[in-house]
Amino acid sequence: MNQPFDAAIPYPPTGEGAVPSALRRHRRCPAAAAKDPAPCEGPHDAATIVDRHGKEVAGCVQHCARLLAGLEGARVHPFVPAHHALDIYSKARELPPFAWEIGR
């Protein structure tokens, strides 16, 4: 039950044609799945999730927990602060994989 890392590019373009700052505030973290409607919780780089193949993605605590619940063999990066790691593992334990598909 692996979830693709299909979130929007984490850094908006700059210069001509760039996203206005009012819209930039509402961008979601890279760990957010494209179909997941849940808003980010905290900084967009609060934690990093590592899948079983070693691919890493940074994200907020909320989306890292949702991602962790849907990936087999994934873990929180060892350098993530302990309070964020504990929050992520606690939230992920209570979530089914792909929680947004059943309205959670």
Side-chain angles (χ1 to χ4, degrees):
M1 296 190 37
N2 286 328
Q3 173 181 343
F5 296 132
D6 57 356
I9 298 172
Y11 303 105
T14 57
E16 191 172 321
V19 178
S21 61
L23 293 176
R24 206 175 304 145
R25 280 182 294 199
H26 299 292
R27 287 198 176 256
R28 294 163 17 114
C29 68
K35 295 179 182 178
D36 186 355
C40 287
E41 184 179 295
H44 289 197
D45 59 353
T48 302
I49 299 294
V50 183
D51 72 4
R52 65 175 152 190
H53 303 291
K55 186 173 179 181
E56 299 180 1
V57 65
C60 69
V61 171
Q62 171 80 357
H63 289 115
C64 283
R66 293 168 84 81
L67 184 61
L68 186 64
L71 288 174
E72 288 182 29
R75 63 192 186 282
V76 177
H77 194 282
F79 293 137
V80 170
H83 64 282
H84 287 312
L86 289 172
D87 284 347
I88 291 167
Y89 280 119
S90 296
K91 289 180 182 194
R93 198 175 103 206
E94 297 175 5
L95 290 170
F98 313 106
W100 57 92
E101 291 181 353
I102 59 170
R104 287 183 72 189

